[in-house]
C-alpha cells in the first residue's frame, strides 16, 4: 500500500473528495490515505499558512498530496494555501490535460474536432513571486523573475513527459518579441533542451497567436509549455475548449513532493448540496495514480467515467438540459456500476502497472544555486527610478549636475518609453522616471561608485528603486528603453 496525504478542502471539497475516494475504494486502489488539516478552518484557528505543522509533516513524509479546493480568507493579509503549498514544496511544473469528453458538448465536439492538449505551466516564478512595491502613490511595480535553472527544470519535465506520452509536438508559448530578456531566456532554454530530444518536433508560438490558434485549430497542439502567468491564462482557455473548469484536472509536479487537485475552486454557491461535479478531481486522481505507477486501475476507472459521460449521465453543470441531472452520489454510483465497460470513443488502453520512481527525498544541497555561466560580469551603469512630477528636460538638467568623470546620463524613460534626450510631446507621463547612467567608455564601475552617485542624486530626488546595468563579456544584460 502506498501512503498519500489527503486534504478534503473547503466548500464542495469534502463532497467531491468523498465521491472520488468511493470510486477508488470500489476499484480497490492500493492506497492508504492519511487525512491532513489544511484550508479555511485551519487559517481560522490561527495557522497563518493554512496548514497545521502535523499536516506539513505528513505531506513531506509521503511526498504526495491529493487535495480538494481550498478557500483563502479574504482581507486578512494571508496568502493562498494553494499557492503556499506549490511554492513551499517546489512543485515547479503544473500539468493540466484537456481532452475531448464525449457527452460533454462543446463547439469542437459538435464539429468533430478532437482535443488532447497538455499544458505545462511553470509554477514558481514569474510575477507569481508576488514581489510588488508601490513606488509612488500612482505607480506599482511587480518584479518578474524568470531564471535559467527554474526554466530548465520545468522545460525538462515537459520534454520528458512529452516523450513518455509519445507526443507529436511540443510548443513553447512566449512573448519573447517584447520581453526579450525574461521570455527570451525561457525560449532560449527551451531550444537548448530541445536539442536533447531530436525525436520530438519542438517549435514556438507567440502567446497571443497561440490563443488565436488554440480557439481555431486546437487539434494542432499536443504539449505546450509556458511561463507562469501566460500558462495560467492559456490553461483556463483550454479548460473552456473542453467544457469548462468542471473537467480540468491539475498536477503540480516537483522532484520531492507532488500535489494533485482540480483546477476549479470551492464553489461556495453549491457547497453542501451534493450536486457538484466530481469529474475534474477524478481526472486529477487518475493522473496521481499514473504518477504512482498504478496504470491499470487508472485506465479502468477512466474508461468507466468516459462511458458514463458518453451515456449522457450528467450533473447539473453540464450535459443535455432536457434530461434529468443526477447528484454527486448518483453520478459516482453510475461510474462504479460501469467498471469494466469501454467507451466507444478513445478508450484508454489498459496497461500494466509500472514501478514509480521514488522521488521524495529531502534537499541536502540546493543544486540551482550554482550558475554554470562563467562569463565575466562588469557593472557599467545603473537605472535610478526616481519620483518626480517635473518635465523630462528639467529632470535631465538636475541629473546632469550629478554626473562625473565616470558616469554619463544616457536616457530618461517613463513607463519604459524614452522621454529624453529625444521623446514625443504625445507621450503621457506618470511620476516615476527611470534615469539611466552608464559609465563613460563602458569602463567597469564598483558598487561604491553607484552608491556615491545615489547619494548625489538623492539631494534632488527621492530614489524609489535602483537596478544595476551589468555586462557579460561584450553583451548588455539589460533592455533598452522603447525609442532609445
Ligand atoms: P469556483 O471554481 O469555485 O466557482 C466558479 C463557478 O463554477 C461557480 O459557479 C461554481 O458553482 C462552479 N463550479 C466550480 N466547480 C464546480 C464543480 N466541481 N461542479 C459544479 N460546478 C462547479 O471559483 P470562485 O468562485 O472564483 O472561487 C471560490 C473559492 O475557491 C475562492 O475562495 C477561491 O480562492 C477558491 N479557489 C481555490 C482553488 C484551489 O483550491 N486550487 C482554485 C480556485 C479558486
Amino acid at each position: 500500500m502506498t501512503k498519500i496525504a489527503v486534504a478534503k478542502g473547503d466548500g464542495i471539497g469534502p463532497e467531491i473528495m468523498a465521491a472520488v475516494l468511493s470510486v477508488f475504494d470500489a476499484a480497490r486502489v492500493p492506497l492508504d490515505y492519511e487525512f491532513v488539516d489544511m484550508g479555511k478552518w485551519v487559517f481560522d484557528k490561527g495557522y497563518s499558512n493554512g496548514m497545521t505543522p502535523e499536516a506539513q509533516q505528513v505531506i513531506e513524509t509521503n511526498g504526495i498530496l491529493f487535495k480538494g479546493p481550498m478557500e483563502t480568507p479574504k482581507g486578512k493579509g494571508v496568502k493562498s494555501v494553494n499557492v503556499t503549498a506549490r511554492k513551499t514544496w517546489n512543485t515547479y511544473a503544473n500539468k493540466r490535460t484537456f481532452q475531448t469528453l464525449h457527452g460533454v458538448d462543446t463547439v469542437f465536439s459538435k464539429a468533430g474536432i478532437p482535443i488532447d492538449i497538455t499544458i505545462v505551466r511553470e509554477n514558481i516564478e514569474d510575477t507569481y513571486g508576488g514581489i510588488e512595491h508601490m513606488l509612488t502613490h500612482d505607480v506599482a511595480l511587480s518584479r518578474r523573475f524568470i531564471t535559467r535553472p527554474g526554466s530548465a527544470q520545468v522545460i525538462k519535465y515537459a520534454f520528458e513527459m512529452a516523450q513518455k506520452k509519445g507526443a507529436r509536438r511540443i510548443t513553447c508559448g512566449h512573448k519573447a518579441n517584447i520581453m526579450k530578456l525574461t521570455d527570451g531566456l525561457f525560449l532560449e532554454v527551451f531550444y537548448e533542451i530541445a536539442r536533447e530530444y531530436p525525436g520530438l518536433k519542438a517549435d514556438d508560438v507567440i502567446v497571443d497567436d497561440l490563443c488565436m490558434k488554440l480557439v481555431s485549430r486546437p487539434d494542432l497542439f499536443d504539449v505546450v509549455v509556458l511561463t507562469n502567468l501566460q500558462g495560467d491564462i492559456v490553461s483556463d482557455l483550454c479548460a473552456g475548449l473542453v467544457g469548462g473548469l468542471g473537467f480540468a484536472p491539475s498536477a503540480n509536479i516537483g522532484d520531492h513532493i507532488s500535489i494533485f487537485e482540480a483546477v476549479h475552486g470551492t464553489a461556495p454557491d453549491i457547497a453542501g448540496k451534493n450536486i457538484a461535479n466530481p469529474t475534474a478531481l477524478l481526472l486529477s486522481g487518475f493522473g496521481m495514480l499514473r504518477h504512482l505507477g498504478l496504470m491499470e486501475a487508472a485506465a479502468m476507472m477512466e474508461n468507466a467515467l468516459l462511458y458514463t459521460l458518453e451515456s449522457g449521465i450528467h450533473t447539473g453543470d453540464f450535459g443535455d438540459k432536457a434530461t434529468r441531472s443526477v447528484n454527486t452520489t448518483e453520478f459516482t454510483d453510475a461510474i462504479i456500476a460501469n467498471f469494466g465497460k469501454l467507451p466507444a470513443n478513445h478508450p484508454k488502453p489498459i496497461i500494466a502497472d509500472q514501478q514509480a520512481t521514488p522521488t521524495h527525498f529531502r534537499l541536502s544541497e540546493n543544486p540551482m544555486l550554482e550558475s554554470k555561466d562563467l562569463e565575466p560580469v562588469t557593472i557599467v551603469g545603473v537605472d535610478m527610478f526616481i519620483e518626480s512630477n517635473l518635465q523630462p528636460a528639467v529632470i535631465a538638467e538636475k541629473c546632469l549636475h550629478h554626473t562625473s568623470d565616470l558616469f554619463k546620463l544616457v536616457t530618461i524613460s517613463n513607463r519604459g518609453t524614452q522621454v529624453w534626450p529625444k521623446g514625443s510631446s504625445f507621450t503621457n507621463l506618470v511620476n516615476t522616471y527611470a534615469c539611466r547612467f552608464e559609465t563613460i567608455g563602458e569602463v567597469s564601475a564598483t558598487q561604491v561608485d553607484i552608491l556615491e552617485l545615489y547619494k548625489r542624486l538623492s539631494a534632488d530626488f527621492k530614489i524609489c528603486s535602483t537596478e544595476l546595468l551589468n555586462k557579460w563579456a561584450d553583451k548588455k544584460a539589460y533592455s533598452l528603453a522603447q525609442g532609445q
Side-chain angles (χ1 to χ4, degrees):
M1 289 281 231
T2 306
K3 264 192 186 177
I4 64 162
V6 177
K8 295 177 183 171
D10 303 311
I12 57 168
E15 298 159 53
I16 54 172
M17 185 57 82
V20 171
L21 296 188
S22 72
V23 176
F24 282 13
D25 289 346
R28 297 209 168 78
V29 173
L31 288 179
D32 197 359
Y33 311 122
E34 281 198 73
F35 291 93
V36 296
D37 296 326
M38 290 175 83
K40 182 172 183 304
W41 72 269
V42 183
F43 278 117
D44 293 344
K45 267 179 113 182
Y47 295 99
S48 61
N49 62 356
M51 66 180 105
T52 60
E54 295 76 30
Q56 178 158 355
Q57 171 79 45
V58 169
I59 295 161
E60 291 182 358
T61 306
N62 292 326
I64 298 282
L65 170 63
F66 189 33
K67 68 176 277 296
M70 290 172 191
E71 184 182 329
T72 306
K74 289 193 187 82
K76 291 191 182 170
V78 291
K79 296 233 178 189
S80 154
V81 64
N82 305 307
V83 179
T84 302
R86 287 173 213 157
K87 288 184 165 241
T88 308
W89 295 310
N90 197 39
T91 61
Y92 51 79
N94 181 237
K95 176 190 170 200
R96 297 181 182 177
T97 307
F98 305 96
Q99 53 180 327
T100 303
L101 296 164
H102 293 271
V104 183
D105 278 348
T106 65
V107 177
F108 298 100
S109 67
K110 284 180 183 160
I113 299 174
I115 298 175
D116 185 2
I117 302 172
T118 304
I119 301 287
V120 179
R121 160 190 170 195
E122 197 287 319
N123 222 8
I124 309 281
E125 309 191 333
D126 202 341
T127 45
Y128 282 67
I131 307 162
E132 301 195 325
H133 298 89
M134 292 302 298
L135 293 193
T136 70
H137 281 94
D138 287 353
V139 179
L141 174 75
S142 166
R143 287 187 172 235
R144 178 177 194 235
F145 277 94
I146 301 289
T147 72
R148 180 177 289 281
S151 303
Q153 222 175 20
V154 65
I155 292 169
K156 183 92 189 152
Y157 167 78
F159 272 92
E160 276 297 308
M161 188 271 299
Q163 179 157 282
K164 238 185 233 166
K165 95 184 238 308
R168 294 166 277 136
R169 175 184 182 192
I170 177 163
T171 306
C172 178
H174 63 88
K175 196 73 190 172
N177 52 330
I178 305 295
M179 288 168 280
K180 293 187 180 356
L181 297 191
T182 47
D183 277 52
L185 176 60
F186 193 77
L187 184 61
E188 183 182 312
V189 174
F190 174 82
Y191 280 117
E192 273 169 21
I193 292 178
R195 285 202 287 275
E196 296 166 28
Y197 298 82
L200 266 170
K201 180 181 178 317
D203 59 7
D204 70 281
V205 184
I206 293 173
V207 69
D208 36 354
D209 189 24
L210 173 69
C211 290
M212 195 270 289
K213 289 191 166 116
L214 278 169
V215 296
S216 50
R217 286 300 305 276
D219 52 320
L220 297 182
F221 293 92
D222 194 340
V223 174
V224 185
V225 58
L226 299 117
T227 52
N228 204 340
L229 177 60
Q230 293 167 25
D232 192 9
I233 297 165
V234 170
S235 50
D236 271 25
L237 182 152
C238 290
L241 300 179
V242 296
L245 289 181
F247 302 94
S250 162
N252 299 287
I253 308 285
D255 286 338
H256 318 282
I257 292 167
S258 295
I259 305 169
F260 296 83
E261 60 181 337
V263 172
H264 63 70
T266 59
D269 49 334
I270 57 165
K273 295 182 181 163
N274 193 31
I275 57 170
N277 177 4
T279 305
L281 191 62
L282 252 179
L283 292 170
S284 310
F286 300 154
M288 174 179 73
L289 297 184
R290 292 190 172 104
H291 181 83
L292 291 168
L294 300 168
M295 306 308 205
E296 202 177 328
M300 188 281 285
M301 288 185 286
E302 190 160 355
N303 282 332
L305 166 69
L306 297 177
Y307 183 94
T308 307
L309 294 172
E310 267 183 4
S311 61
I313 295 172
H314 64 95
T315 47
D317 54 308
F318 74 102
D320 184 355
K321 297 286 170 218
T323 61
R324 186 183 80 87
S325 61
V326 297
N327 65 28
T328 313
T329 318
E330 289 167 325
F331 187 74
T332 313
D333 290 345
I335 296 168
I336 296 170
N338 288 330
F339 277 2
K341 295 189 179 147
L342 292 181
N345 299 286
H346 308 296
K348 299 289 162 191
I350 307 281
I351 52 173
D353 285 354
Q354 293 171 3
Q355 189 70 41
T357 352
T359 50
H360 60 283
F361 49 89
R362 272 162 217 278
L363 283 174
S364 55
E365 56 173 25
N366 286 96
M368 287 169 51
L369 278 177
E370 288 305 321
S371 172
K372 285 166 194 65
D373 199 325
L374 298 174
E375 283 169 323
V377 181
T378 47
I379 299 172
V380 291
V382 63
D383 279 342
M384 297 276 190
F385 293 83
I386 58 154
E387 176 172 357
S388 176
N389 48 20
L390 298 171
Q391 287 300 307
V394 184
I395 293 173
E397 200 186 316
K398 287 179 183 280
C399 285
L400 287 167
H401 283 143
H402 304 298
T403 51
S404 58
D405 292 348
L406 185 58
F407 292 110
K408 59 181 178 187
L409 178 67
V410 180
T411 177
I412 300 176
S413 60
N414 194 291
R415 291 190 288 171
T417 304
Q418 176 171 278
V419 292
W420 183 92
K422 282 197 193 122
S424 163
S425 52
F426 290 100
T427 305
N428 249 337
L429 304 172
V430 297
N431 62 6
T432 299
Y433 288 87
C435 304
R436 173 163 292 179
F437 296 88
E438 282 180 0
T439 56
I440 296 162
E442 293 192 343
V443 298
S444 170
T446 64
Q447 292 194 80
V448 174
D449 296 328
I450 303 287
L451 278 175
E452 277 163 9
L453 176 63
Y454 188 109
K455 205 168 156 192
R456 293 198 297 273
L457 204 63
S458 65
D460 277 326
F461 298 109
K462 178 179 172 200
I463 301 165
C464 316
S465 177
T466 61
E467 214 63 70
L468 292 179
L469 303 180
N470 292 309
K471 230 178 141 190
W472 301 337
D474 54 0
K475 193 169 141 204
K476 284 185 172 162
Y478 51 94
S479 63
L480 298 182
Q482 202 75 41
Q484 191 185 341

